[in-house]
Amino acid sequence: MMKKVVKFGGSSLASARQFKKVGEIIRSDKSRRYVVPSAPGKRNDKDEKVTDLLYQCYDAASEGRSYKKILEKIKTRYDEIIDGLDLNLNLDYEFNQIEENFLKKAGRDYAASRGEYLNGMIMAAYLGYEFVDAAQVVFFDDNGNFDAETTNRELGERLEHIERAVIPGFYGAKQDGTITTFSRGGSDVTGSIVARAIHADMYENWTDVSGFLVADPRIVKNPQVIETITYKELRELAYMGASVLHEDAIFPVRKEGIPINIRNTNRPEDKGTLIVESTCRKPRYTITGIAGKKGFCSINIEKAMMNTEVGFGRKVLEVFERYGISFEHMPSGIDTMTVLVHQSEFEEYEQSVIAGIHRAVEPDFVEMESDLALIAVVGRGMKASRGTAGRIFSALAHARVNVKMIDQGSSELNIIIGVKNADFEAAIRAIYDIFVTTEME
Ligand code: ASP
């Protein structure tokens, strides 16, 4: 029988109504055997996530401020779910325990983890699946780093004998039992770890969108959903700000070649996005996705005969390194070299860096330009098709966008374009239209 791990995000589990949708999804496919829940998320825009309430409550309790009201609010959220599902479950004992541990200062990670712990108990009761506390099967080392190999072994052994289980997301424990969490959104990571440990055929990640979109919906109206994307393409887009999945969630499944399917709990009929190691499937459009970020600045260094000076680039980059500034891109010409950095990281040290460059390489000019945006046009299909760059630039010219910088990685997986912040949205729309809107017709 196929084995699927299904992870449900906070908005999919925010209320009894949402739980019922999740129950239907799980029951409709017998291979959905291992369930990883998040804590209850927001029910509407003004609502609060249970995880945030837990942090607030713990901070108050451990600093001697009044906390009982927040704790009561959290308990009510769970009780409403339990009542709405008609479950015979009482969390009084758990909440007494939690309160006691808060007062004993069990730690912020412990506090936050209770959100998924309790939701996992409810989920297990609702589905009739076995509850497996993540603290017993997901391990962190003494420094709080995730211990992938121990976890993989222990979790695999434990689940081998359980046909259907609920494993709460987001946390695990150190060897001494101290509860530790991943960073925010970390239930995605737990799902991936479970998928690896049981050699799942598929890791389904259920959320409130129907997959990855070709472009940001705040910029492009009703963008298309990406049907299939490779891990590498995803990394490129995620790095440029497209976020649906926790960044670290890719690694465990990637090791095993397990695909991830992003699905929408509110529209289970949609196929979502499939994330794979590699694929022969032709992408629907030449490009897979577009993403970008504002807030960069460029430092352009000019010096006649720079090309003959061995070590020029290193000396320049050393100056940035000294101030802890990482660079994003570094296009160069014969007598010029440009370094692109995050404006927010750079601003504070701007004058020291410029002085440092003068001292290090005695340039003819150093020029800076701020308020730049970078746009990544990503797609495995670009390699096989000619004229992609040409189409991008003619589209931008038509939209009257001035291109400040171009950088194509040698993998031919992406083209990075630098434009003024003010042109950012227009540029993304122009690129989307030329590839997606016109190729759709
Ligand atoms: N509940 C945690 C958070 O809000 C983890 C998760 O939902 O994945 O960050």
Side-chain angles (χ1 to χ4, degrees):
M1 195 197 346
M2 285 237 288
K3 285 186 281 191
K4 288 184 187 166
V5 171
V6 285
K7 179 261 170 181
F8 290 89
S11 59
S12 302
L13 301 169
S15 62
R17 201 172 137 242
Q18 290 297 87
F19 257 80
K20 286 182 185 163
K21 291 186 195 169
V22 168
E24 246 168 66
I25 290 168
I26 295 173
R27 290 188 195 106
S28 70
D29 179 349
K30 291 256 166 303
S31 58
R32 293 182 174 136
R33 288 166 48 188
Y34 300 95
V35 181
V36 176
S38 281
K42 294 183 183 185
R43 289 162 295 188
N44 53 56
D45 284 351
K46 287 189 203 90
D47 203 12
E48 282 169 295
K49 289 176 120 192
V50 164
T51 309
D52 291 319
L53 294 173
L54 284 161
Y55 281 126
Q56 282 173 34
C57 184
Y58 179 77
D59 290 344
S62 61
E63 288 161 18
R65 287 183 281 123
S66 64
Y67 63 89
K68 285 198 191 270
K69 262 208 183 113
I70 315 177
L71 196 62
E72 206 39 54
K73 200 164 160 185
I74 299 168
K75 181 147 191 299
T76 308
R77 295 254 350 224
Y78 286 106
D79 284 343
E80 278 174 13
I81 296 174
I82 293 172
D83 292 345
L85 297 175
D86 278 330
L87 292 177
N88 185 12
L89 184 70
N90 184 317
L91 296 179
D92 289 351
Y93 171 79
E94 299 295 338
F95 270 90
N96 284 337
Q97 201 81 1
I98 289 170
E99 182 170 2
E100 229 173 76
N101 288 330
F102 276 21
L103 294 170
K104 278 197 235 152
K105 302 201 169 105
R108 287 190 102 224
D109 281 12
Y110 165 80
S113 76
R114 295 306 89 186
E116 345 302 273
Y117 173 81
L118 296 169
N119 230 18
M121 290 181 74
I122 296 176
M123 180 66 94
Y126 180 52
L127 296 172
Y129 282 23
E130 185 167 334
F131 176 77
V132 175
D133 186 357
Q136 296 171 3
V137 283
V138 174
F139 298 103
F140 290 82
D141 67 18
D142 293 341
N143 302 319
N145 297 316
F146 172 56
D147 181 350
E149 295 320 310
T150 312
T151 301
N152 194 46
R153 202 180 50 242
E154 305 256 333
L155 184 59
E157 279 171 17
R158 177 80 180 268
L159 295 182
E160 211 184 309
H161 309 290
I162 307 177
E163 205 180 302
R164 297 177 182 276
V166 173
I167 308 102
F170 190 39
Y171 72 94
K174 294 182 184 167
Q175 286 300 340
D176 68 1
T178 313
I179 300 286
T180 307
T181 64
F182 294 107
S183 56
R184 295 301 302 264
S187 297
D188 285 344
V189 186
T190 308
S192 182
I193 292 166
V194 175
R196 177 183 172 209
I198 63 145
H199 310 296
D201 296 285
M202 177 74 79
Y203 169 25
E204 288 179 347
N205 189 296
W206 291 81
T207 170
D208 51 11
V209 289
S210 291
F212 272 97
L213 301 173
V214 174
D216 187 335
R218 287 166 299 187
I219 300 173
V220 172
K221 228 164 130 200
N222 292 326
Q224 293 284 309
V225 172
I226 301 174
E227 283 178 357
T228 314
I229 186 170
T230 63
Y231 294 131
K232 271 198 195 138
E233 291 174 315
L234 181 66
R235 280 279 292 161
E236 301 276 355
L237 290 173
Y239 184 72
M240 278 305 213
S243 71
V244 171
L245 193 70
H246 192 294
E247 246 196 316
D248 295 339
I250 291 178
F251 303 109
V253 282
R254 193 174 180 171
K255 274 205 170 122
E256 290 260 326
I258 302 166
I260 308 175
N261 191 189
I262 308 284
R263 298 287 294 265
N264 189 347
T265 301
N266 305 316
R267 292 179 59 97
E269 63 283 5
D270 290 352
K271 286 202 314 228
T273 300
L274 193 65
I275 309 167
V276 295
E277 172 72 57
S278 66
T279 176
C280 297
R281 287 193 209 184
K282 283 241 160 39
R284 194 142 42 121
Y285 314 107
T286 312
I287 60 161
T288 302
I290 314 162
K293 274 190 203 164
K294 290 182 180 177
F296 292 92
C297 76
S298 69
I299 300 98
N300 186 23
I301 303 147
E302 263 187 62
K303 185 177 184 185
M305 305 298 283
M306 146 190 317
N307 57 331
T308 59
E309 243 181 82
V310 176
F312 190 93
R314 175 184 52 78
K315 286 180 206 156
V316 169
L317 292 181
E318 256 173 14
V319 179
F320 288 90
E321 189 181 348
R322 208 177 304 146
Y323 294 95
I325 302 163
S326 60
F327 73 94
E328 213 50 28
H329 286 280
M330 195 180 58
S332 63
I334 301 174
D335 290 331
T336 67
M337 166 177 169
T338 305
V339 183
L340 271 126
V341 294
H342 284 272
Q343 202 157 327
S344 56
E345 260 180 51
F346 177 67
E347 254 163 11
E348 190 184 341
Y349 305 109
E350 172 192 272
Q351 294 308 315
S352 319
V353 171
I354 301 301
I357 293 174
H358 275 286
R359 247 175 280 131
V361 294
E362 298 175 1
D364 299 335
F365 299 104
V366 180
E367 244 174 15
M368 285 190 285
E369 180 162 5
S370 60
D371 302 317
L372 296 176
L374 290 176
I375 298 170
V377 185
V378 177
R380 60 190 185 278
M382 296 198 307
K383 213 173 182 160
S385 65
R386 270 170 294 138
T388 311
R391 287 170 76 190
I392 295 177
F393 298 117
S394 71
L396 292 175
H398 268 107
R400 298 181 183 285
V401 171
N402 183 18
V403 176
K404 295 271 170 190
M405 185 214 74
I406 308 162
D407 199 354
Q408 174 170 28
S410 52
S411 65
E412 288 187 61
L413 194 64
N414 65 4
I415 296 177
I416 310 276
I417 301 150
V419 299
K420 278 295 225 184
N421 274 350
D423 287 332
F424 181 67
E425 285 84 5
I428 290 189
R429 271 182 227 122
I431 299 168
Y432 182 87
D433 281 341
I434 194 74
F435 288 105
V436 182
T437 315
T438 49
E439 286 181 21
M440 232 166 21
E441 284 154 6

